[in-house]
Amino acid sequence: MTLLSVRAMTAGYGPVDVLRDVSLEVERGGVVAVLGSNGAGKTTLLRALSGLLPDCRGEITFDGTSLRGMRAERIARLGLVHVPEGRGTFPDLTVEENLAVGAYLNGDRSAARRETGRVYELFPVLKERRRQPAGLLSGGEQQMLALGRALAGGPRMLLLDEPSMGLAPLVVRQIFDALRAVVTEEGLTCLLVEQNASMALSMAGYAYILTVGAVTAQGPAADLADDETVRRAYLAL
Amino acid sequence: MQQLVQTLLDGVGSGMIYGSLALALVLIHQATRIPNFAQGEMAMLSTFVAWELIDRGLPWIAAVAITLALSMAGGYGLQRGLIRWVERSPHLTQVMVTLGVFMVINGVAGLVWGYLPKTLDGPVSSGSLRIAGVTTSWQVVGMVLVTVGMLLLLYLLFSRSRLGLQLRAAAQNPTSARLAGINVGRAYGIGWGLSAVVGAVAGVMVAPQTGLEPNFMFPILLYAFAGATVGGFSSPGGAVVGGVLVGLVEALTATYVGFIGTELSLTVALVTIVIVLLVRPDGLFGKKEVARV
Amino acid sequence: MSALTSTLTRTAVLAVMIVCTFTVNDYDLSLLAQVGLTAIALMGLNLLVGYCGQLSLGHGAFYAIGAYTTAILVTRTGMPHLLTLPIALVLSFAVGAVLGIPAVRLRGFSLALVTLALAIALPQLLKHFEGLTGGQLGVNVPRPAPPGALTTDQWTYLVAVVLAFAVFLGVRNLVTSRIGLAMVTVRDNEAAAGAMGVPVARVRVVVFALSAGLTGLAGALATLVTGYVSPDNFNMLLSVNLVAGIVLGGLGRVWGPIVGAVFLTYLPLYTTDISQTAPGIVNGLVIIVFLLLLPEGVTGLATRLGRRLRARIAPRSTVRTESGTGSEPVRT
C-alpha cells in the first residue's frame, strides 16, 4: 500500500525551479532511497515534502491526505517527520529537552516516555549526555539527536536528509544500524536522501536517481546497485 | 548606616521594575532578534487601561487581572498583525517599525487620556513600615515581592512547561521547530504577549510613584535598556540582575553624589550604557553575539 | 549634466529663493525657513540611516544642542547670530563623535540604544544646568537684526534656505564620491566592505558625527527662526519625528529629506485641529506603512512613476536615458 505519493511535482526557490516534474511513491513500511550528486535537488525535494517550500506545484498525498498548501508544523503533526541535513537541533536546549520537543508530537505522555526510552536504548551516548546542551555535542551525536528527536515523536514516516553527511565511517555505521533496527523491528517507513549511495542502497528496497532536478532512473535497489552506469556515477566503482 | 540600608532597599525596589522591563526586552530580543523600542509605550498603554478600569469602579485586583489578559492579547496581536511582516526585513526596518508603534501608542494615549498626570493607586497602602530601624514603604516591599514572584513564574514556565520549551525551541531554530510540529508564528506571538504582560506589571507597579501620563515610561525604558545592556541582551536572568544593579547605582548616586541628585539620574543611565558598551559590549552575563551576515 | 547647465540650474534655484523673499508674506516665509532647516536636519539623518544603515534615535538631542548653543552664545556673549551657526555645527559634530566611537563598532542597535539614551536624558540635563540654559522655562533669544530693508523673517528665511541649498549640494557630492560609495558598501555588506579595505568603523563614526553636526546646525537655525528654546521641545518624540521624515521622503535618496521636511513642517498645521497628538500618530503610521508598503518613500515612488511615464511616451529613448532617471547614484 502506498503511504506517500508524489505526482508531477515542480518546486524551487522564487523564479528558479529546482525540481521538475518529479513523481515518486513510497510503500508503507518500505525504505526508499533518493540518490543524486550535489545540487541535484535532493534537499529541495524533502523541503517540498515537509512543507518548507511555500510554492510547489503538483500533488503530494500522505496516507490519503493531500499535503497541498499545508504548513510544515501540520505536516509534522500528521507523522511525516523531516530530519534536516546537518544540525537540526536546538543548541541551547539540553539533549533531554531536545527529545522532549520531539516527543510532543505524541498525543499522550506515556507514549512520549516510551519513545524517548527507546531513543536512549538506540543511542546510549545520548542518555549519558542528557543534561548537556545540544550545542556541546559532537557532529555524530548531533545527528543521533536529530534522528532521536524525530523518533521520539513516534513518526509514521521519516524524511532523512543525508544522515551520513560529514561523519566518520564508524559513526555512520552506528546511525544506520539504529535506523535499520527501527525499520525492521517497527516497520517504519523512510525516504532516505543520500550521497553515500552504497550505504543507502544496502538499506533501501527501491531507489530513485535524481539528476539536475528530474528523476532519470528508478528501480529496485538491488538492480540499481548492479547497474553499470549507476555504479560508475554514484558508487565510484 | 541606616541611610545606606534604606538607599539600597529603594534601589532594589526600583531596580526590580527596571529588571522586569529589561526582561521583557530580552524575551522579545531572544525570540525574534528585535530590540523592541515600543516596549515602554506598550507598558504605558497597559497601565492606562488598568487606571481606566479602576476609575470605572472595578476593584484593583480585578482591573489588573483584566489588564494583564488584555496585554497578553495585545502583544500577541501586535506580533501577528504587524511585526511578522517584517520578520525577514533588515534589522534597521524592524527597529524602525517598533518606533512607529512607539509613536502611535504614545499619540493615541495622549488623545484618549491627555497629558495631565493621573494618580494610580497601588495594591497596598502607601504607609511605611520599620524593620530593625530601617524605614521602608509597603510599596517597595510589594514591588519586590510581586517582581520576584513574577520572575519565578516565568522561570517555571520557560524551564518546566511544554509551552515554555516550545517557545525556546522556536526562538533557537525556527525551521527545526516547525519540523517538530511547533507553530512558530504562534510561539512568537505568545512571546510578545508575555513580554507585554511583564511590561504591564512593571507599569502598574511604578505608576503609583511616578504619576501616570503618556510619557511616564520614557525614563523607565531608558533604565530598562541600561539594565539589559549591563546584563547582556542574550541573558534573561542577566537582564533582571542588570536592572537591579542600575536601580542600585541610581539610588546610590542620588543619595551620595551631591551634584547628581535625582535630577541627573537619566544621565547616569546614559553614562552606564556607554561605559558598558565600551568595556563589556555583551554585558556581564551575555554571550558573545555572532553577527548575522 | 554639463557644468554650464548645472551652474544655470543653481543660479535659477537661488534666483527663485531670492524672488520668494520679496513676494511671499512673512508668515509663509517663516514656514519655508522651517522647511529649509528641517531639510538640513533630515539630510544629516539620511546620511546616517539611508546611506550608512545605522539608526539614531537621538537626533532630536543634536538639534537641541545646536539650538541651545546659539541661544546661549547670543544671549550671554552677544555674539552675532550667524557666527554661532558654525560653532553649533562643530559642537554637535564633536558630541556625535564622542558618542559614536563606543556605539558604532558594535551590534546593530547599539547606536540606536546610545542615542535613545541621549534623547531621553538630554531634557533633564538641560533643566539641571539652569544657570546656563534657563532651566524649565528655556531662553528667549532676540531675533537677528536683518541687513538693509529686509524684515527679520525675510532674513532668517534667506539664511535657512540658502544654507539648505548649500548642504543639499554638498551631500549630493558626498554620496556620489568615493566616501559615499564606501558608506553604501558598509550599509549593504559590512563584511565585504571590510574585506575590500573600507575602514568600516571609521566611516560610521565620521558619518554619524557629520550627521549630528548637520542636525545641530538645523537646531541653531531653528533658534534664529523661532527666537525661543525650551527643554521640552526636544524630547524623544522629536527624534522619532525626524526618522518619520526620512522614511516618508525615501531612505538613501537625495531628494527624500526635502519632501520629508515639507511634510514635517506642514503636517501639524493641518492636523493639530483634530488633536495635539495627531501629528505624532500620523508620523508613527507613516513609519509603519511606508516601511511595509513603500520602503523607497515618496521620492522613490515618484522616480518609478516618472520612469514608467517616460517609457510610455518615448519607449525607445528610455533605454538610453535610464541611467539619468535613477535617483541613486545621482548626477551633479
Side-chain angles (χ1 to χ4, degrees), chain B residues 81-290:
Chain B
L82 176 62
I83 302 297
R84 67 187 288 194
W85 302 109
V86 292
E87 259 164 27
R88 281 152 205 271
S89 303
H91 209 78
L92 185 68
T93 307
Q94 299 178 338
V95 173
M96 287 197 286
V97 165
T98 69
L99 277 186
V101 174
F102 174 107
M103 286 296 269
V104 172
I105 297 180
N106 185 279
V108 167
L111 190 68
V112 177
W113 290 287
Y115 284 87
L116 282 179
K118 304 194 182 325
T119 319
L120 180 74
D121 292 331
V124 287
S125 69
S126 51
S128 55
L129 78 165
R130 291 177 64 87
I131 309 165
V134 178
T135 313
T136 183
S137 68
W138 280 108
Q139 280 186 357
V140 170
V141 175
M143 269 188 328
V144 173
L145 289 181
V146 167
T147 327
V148 169
M150 180 177 72
L151 294 177
L152 206 63
L153 281 178
L154 279 175
Y155 174 77
L156 289 177
L157 172 76
F158 277 99
S159 63
R160 295 293 150 82
S161 79
R162 174 176 176 150
L163 176 66
L165 203 52
Q166 290 186 330
L167 294 181
R168 284 159 66 203
Q172 283 180 30
N173 190 339
T175 307
S176 280
R178 295 183 66 194
L179 294 177
I182 295 170
N183 186 335
V184 171
R186 205 181 116 243
Y188 286 171
I190 293 174
W192 277 69
L194 278 177
S195 66
V197 168
V198 175
V201 172
V204 170
M205 300 300 289
V206 80
Q209 303 184 339
T210 57
L212 176 60
E213 51 98 20
N215 296 345
F216 94 105
M217 274 310 241
F218 286 12
I220 315 291
L221 179 71
L222 174 53
Y223 292 130
F225 267 116
T229 311
V230 170
F233 267 86
S234 55
S235 164
V240 177
V241 177
V244 172
L245 287 177
V246 169
L248 285 173
V249 169
E250 184 208 2
L252 288 172
T253 50
T255 313
Y256 293 104
V257 187
F259 74 95
I260 290 180
T262 49
E263 288 178 336
L264 286 183
S265 50
L266 293 170
T267 310
V268 171
L270 166 65
V271 173
T272 307
I273 289 179
V274 171
I275 290 177
V276 173
L277 287 180
L278 269 178
V279 179
R280 209 180 155 90
D282 297 298
L284 295 178
F285 308 99
K287 282 187 304 186
K288 185 137 187 61
E289 189 129 337
V290 183

Side-chain angles (χ1 to χ4, degrees), chain A:
Chain A
M1 235 187 80
T2 305
L3 184 59
L4 176 81
S5 104
V6 178
R7 296 237 160 279
M9 180 171 71
T10 298
Y13 306 90
V16 187
D17 283 335
V18 177
L19 294 174
R20 292 180 319 271
D21 201 23
V22 170
S23 296
L24 57 83
E25 287 195 348
V26 182
E27 297 286 303
R28 192 182 299 271
V31 175
V32 169
V34 175
L35 308 178
S37 52
N38 252 341
K42 304 187 300 290
T43 296
T44 308
L45 172 68
L46 294 195
R47 289 174 64 85
L49 291 178
S50 60
L52 291 176
L53 290 185
D55 42 322
C56 86
R57 284 147 289 160
E59 195 46 51
I60 309 172
T61 46
F62 178 66
D63 200 16
T65 313
S66 169
L67 303 187
R68 176 187 289 264
M70 199 182 278
R71 299 164 58 86
E73 56 268 24
R74 284 202 51 208
I75 293 177
R77 279 184 235 139
L78 288 178
L80 178 59
V81 177
H82 181 169
V83 182
E85 182 182 18
R87 304 175 174 191
T89 54
F90 306 109
D92 291 344
L93 301 190
T94 63
V95 168
E96 206 166 33
E97 288 172 328
N98 266 277
L99 292 177
V101 169
Y104 288 149
L105 280 176
N106 280 306
D108 64 313
R109 276 161 201 269
S110 67
R113 212 170 306 135
R114 195 175 60 238
E115 306 288 356
T116 309
R118 173 90 172 109
V119 171
Y120 284 143
E121 253 171 56
L122 286 170
F123 303 113
V125 62
L126 293 183
K127 187 166 192 179
E128 282 165 32
R129 308 207 151 193
R130 64 182 187 281
R131 306 239 182 260
Q132 286 186 15
L136 298 181
L137 300 184
S138 72
E141 289 160 351
Q142 299 238 8
Q143 186 60 56
M144 290 176 198
L145 181 57
L147 182 58
R149 196 184 66 224
L151 291 174
R156 299 166 63 196
M157 176 171 174
L158 285 186
L159 303 169
L160 294 160
D161 195 353
E162 306 250 12
S164 72
M165 180 78 137
L167 300 181
L170 199 66
V171 183
V172 173
R173 173 114 31 93
Q174 231 178 323
I175 287 171
F176 272 85
D177 282 349
L179 210 52
R180 205 167 276 136
V182 181
V183 166
T184 49
E185 287 164 29
E186 292 162 30
L188 182 65
T189 313
C190 288
L191 182 63
L192 171 64
V193 154
E194 260 298 346
Q195 277 194 67
N196 186 340
S198 56
M199 193 57 104
L201 287 177
S202 75
M203 228 189 106
Y206 199 86
Y208 293 83
I209 291 181
L210 210 54
T211 315
V212 210
V215 174
T216 51
Q218 57 174 299
D223 296 359
L224 284 181
D226 289 338
D227 186 279
E228 195 50 39
T229 37
V230 172
R231 285 167 66 89
R232 208 171 304 137
Y234 299 103
L235 299 172
L237 293 174

